[in-house]
Structure formats: structure tokens, C-alpha cells
Amino acid sequence: MKLQRNNRLRAIAAGALAVSGALVLTACGSDDNSGSSSGGGGTKASSNIKCEGKGQLLASGSSAQKNAMDLWVKNYGAACKDVKINYKATGSGAGIQEWLQGKTAFAGSDSALKPEEVASSKKMCTGGGQGINLPMVGGPIAVGFNVPGVDKLTLDAKTLALIFDSKITNWNDEAIKKLNKGVSLPSLKIQAFHRSDDSGTTDNFTKYLKAAAPSAWPHEPGKAWEGKGGQAADGSSGVSSQVKQVSGAISYFELSYATASSIKTVDLNTGASAPVQATVDNASKAIAAAKVKGTGKDLALDLAYDTKAEGAYPITLVTYEIACDKGNKSDTLAATKSFLTYASSEDGQASLKDLGYAPLPTEIATKVRESVASLS
């Protein structure tokens, strides 16, 4: 049964990836919501989608949420007809910059806005508004590996930090052997890949390394990679492709990319009684413990990257949609609210699990819907 489910998940995720070639889809405007099959997530387009607005809705940013966004746009387009939604997976940093420049209706980011970005947003959000963080997609950041002859691999935060900082350079290093007794590890050079673009996935991954192994990871967390050595590739699709193709490779990317490409993933020794697998359910256990640190309508979350809770997978991310609390562009406001209302709805969130994402905890999702409804 487990094998059948894994095969089904890979097929679903691969189908969602295929949608990316046609991201500009018709959406919204008509109230003819007689929905059709969504395809990717196995759910039907919700008859509860309220279509509003017309024209083109542009957004860009996080590549981590691209598979989710592809599916949402497809489902939304099945119900609504008068808006063309175009989401470009440019990376979180680029997405925020495009939004701050007024080029897009909203941005996708795997990290909450920095104070200086909030300050900049006040110049773009009219009427005294500013940018706020709306959590929309959760899930595990998998550490994928390609080591010939090795199907199961356990690492801890310290060992990962040393690998990605070029301090451990061979797969048969004693530190790796100690964590994988009984596993035949080859004498093979480690090929560590990181993101070349400013990335919220990098930000979350390095926050984990800093929180769980501060003595082994001397660098400050951030969207830009600061580790020593290694090789770079663009986007989650780029680093996951390298792991798939390169013998000895290791990198970090969202579980959906590992699922779609049948890439093996590392189990984490967190200090719990047993290593923790990168799964949606295990990530949900960690995300459910997150605390809202934002104020007012801002819902930025504080994640526990160093958790040792049983079965909680600590390398998680929450992708935010970034919009103005007030002062959004009048010509795209209605469509933005309509689309984000669907994405945060029970139907929108339920469609994510088969893609390797973790639906938002109910309490957080409810707050997101309230914030979206208040956008002006």
C-alpha cells in the first residue's frame, strides 16, 4: 500500500509540475461556478469560489509554492473566466522586489518581510497602508541525496552544517558513518548544491542550521547563501535537477520536488527517540506549534527549527503571500481577494496534501481568511 501511495503521489506531483508551462490561465469574473475536475490534486473546483474582478492578475516570487500555485490557478480557472492569472516562480527575493516596484498584485515569499521591506512598502501601498504577511502554504524542506547504493540516510543538524560548509567532503566520513551504522557508504566526493538566487527556502534551511547546530554553522541565516564552497543552481527546480543527475549530490528543496523526481530524502536525527522522515504529516506537527509574531492583520509566524518533539520534522517553511493591508491597486484588488480567499479556503488547503505540502492549521487558516477579507 505504501509503495502504491508513493507512486500515486509522484504521479500527482509530476502532473502539477506539467501545468507550469501554461500558468497564464483564465480565471474569475463569471458566477458560472459549475466546476470541473482539478486534475492535479484530485479535488473538484469548488462551487464556493466567488469570482470577482476582471483583467490580468500578475504575481511572482517563491518557487517553493509554485506547484501549489499551479494547482490553485488551474482549479480557480475552472470556475472563473474573466481574469488571467500569471504567477512567475522568480524566487522570493525577486518576487518581493517586483511587488515593491508596483509590478505585481502580490508576491510569494518563503520568509516574512524584513523591517526595511515593510518600510519600503509604505511608499507603494497608498493611503497609509503597508505590506503584510499572509501564510498560505506550509511544508517540509527535504534534503535530497544521490548516493549510489544508499537508499536510506540519516543525518543531524551538525553534520548537515559541516557538509554544506565544505567541512565534510566525502560520503564515507566518520561523522556520517556514526549516524548510519550498517549502511555501506562509498568513498565518493560530496557534491553539495545550494540556491544561486535569493531564496526563502535558503533562509529557512539556514535558520534551521543556525538554530539546531549554532557551533557548526557560523553564518547568519538569510535568503542569500553564505556557506563556503559548494555549487549553485537556480530555483528549487535547478537544485533538485542537479541532485537527480549528479552522483554524490545533496541539496535542499521542497518535498514536492523530491516526490515528483523520485529523489531519496534524508531522515533527520533531531534528538527525538527515532530519526524523523520528511513527510507532510511530520512537518504539520512542527508547523502546528508555530506562533504568530505579526501584529494586526500581519500573520508572520515564528517556527521552532530546533524542535526535538517526537515525529516533528523541523526543516519546514511557510510561504507567505505579500499584499498591502490597505492601498492595494484598485484594478486588481477584487481579483486578488477572490483568488487568495480560495487559496486559504478549506478546499484550497485540502488540495495541497497530495502535492507534498502541509495544509495550514485551522486556527491560522481562519486568521488568514479574515485578513484577506479586510484587504482594501
Side-chain angles (χ1 to χ4, degrees):
M1 289 294 292
K2 186 176 181 181
L3 178 60
Q4 291 177 343
R5 175 171 172 77
N6 286 342
N7 288 338
R8 181 172 66 86
L9 294 186
R10 289 167 184 155
I12 290 169
L17 283 168
V19 179
S20 62
L23 246 183
V24 182
L25 302 177
T26 35
C28 205
S30 167
D31 284 331
D32 179 12
N33 296 334
S34 59
S36 60
S37 174
S38 69
T43 61
K44 291 184 177 181
S46 172
S47 59
N48 296 320
I49 294 176
K50 184 177 181 181
C51 301
E52 294 183 352
K54 63 175 66 175
Q56 188 172 55
L57 187 65
L58 301 179
S60 65
S62 165
S63 63
Q65 71 170 10
K66 184 180 186 303
N67 297 340
M69 193 63 71
D70 286 355
L71 180 59
W72 284 336
V73 170
K74 183 180 180 183
N75 288 355
Y76 189 70
C80 310
K81 304 298 180 184
D82 291 343
V83 170
K84 291 183 178 180
I85 302 177
N86 186 342
Y87 180 84
K88 297 183 296 179
T90 57
S92 298
I96 289 175
Q97 288 306 307
E98 287 193 335
W99 177 73
L100 288 173
Q101 293 164 6
K103 296 179 180 179
T104 54
F106 64 90
S109 176
D110 307 329
S111 300
L113 290 170
K114 296 177 180 178
E116 59 267 29
E117 292 170 335
V118 174
S120 294
S121 73
K122 295 178 180 180
K123 302 173 185 176
M124 192 269 294
C125 300
T126 60
Q130 67 179 46
I132 57 171
N133 304 282
L134 301 169
M136 204 67 69
V137 179
I141 299 174
V143 179
F145 68 95
N146 179 353
V147 182
V150 178
D151 293 323
K152 190 172 181 61
L153 184 69
T154 297
L155 297 173
D156 59 14
K158 180 179 179 180
T159 307
L160 278 170
L162 294 174
I163 286 172
F164 280 94
D165 208 25
S166 300
K167 303 287 177 53
I168 292 177
T169 59
N170 198 289
W171 280 110
N172 67 354
D173 188 275
E174 288 301 321
I176 301 176
K177 285 182 177 180
K178 186 176 180 180
L179 292 165
N180 294 274
K181 294 179 180 178
V183 177
S184 180
L185 294 163
S187 177
L188 177 67
K189 182 180 178 182
I190 295 174
Q191 307 282 352
F193 286 89
H194 57 265
R195 291 279 290 271
S196 60
D197 53 320
D198 282 2
S199 161
T201 310
T202 293
D203 191 22
N204 284 275
F205 181 64
T206 54
K207 281 178 178 175
Y208 160 73
L209 296 179
K210 190 68 173 179
S215 63
W217 189 255
H219 315 289
E220 287 303 311
K223 292 186 178 74
W225 183 258
E226 293 191 5
K228 303 301 181 184
Q231 303 172 68
D234 186 62
S236 294
S237 59
V239 290
S240 61
S241 294
Q242 292 298 319
V243 172
K244 182 72 173 178
Q245 298 167 13
V246 177
S247 178
I250 186 171
S251 189
Y252 56 92
F253 37 82
E254 296 69 43
L255 181 61
S256 58
Y257 287 87
T259 302
S261 298
S262 301
I263 296 171
K264 301 180 185 71
T265 60
V266 168
D267 295 344
L268 291 179
N269 182 335
T270 64
S273 62
V276 184
Q277 293 182 328
T279 68
V280 169
D281 290 338
N282 290 345
S284 292
K285 292 177 183 178
I287 294 172
K291 306 297 183 184
V292 175
K293 63 180 180 180
T295 57
K297 299 300 182 181
D298 182 85
L299 299 174
L301 300 177
D302 190 8
L303 299 172
Y305 297 99
D306 58 350
T307 181
K308 294 179 175 60
E310 295 295 326
Y313 184 83
I315 318 180
T316 59
L317 63 74
V318 171
T319 288
Y320 302 93
E321 311 311 331
I322 309 294
C324 300
D325 56 358
K326 57 183 177 180
N328 291 281
K329 296 179 181 179
S330 60
D331 58 338
T332 55
L333 175 61
T336 297
K337 291 177 67 173
S338 175
F339 178 70
L340 295 183
T341 296
Y342 162 63
S344 60
S345 71
E346 290 184 13
D347 288 345
Q349 290 294 305
S351 69
L352 296 181
K353 193 168 182 180
D354 281 347
L355 294 180
Y357 295 108
L360 294 174
T362 301
E363 181 180 352
I364 294 175
T366 299
K367 292 179 179 178
V368 171
R369 290 192 283 271
E370 291 172 355
S371 286
V372 170
S374 72
L375 297 180
S376 64

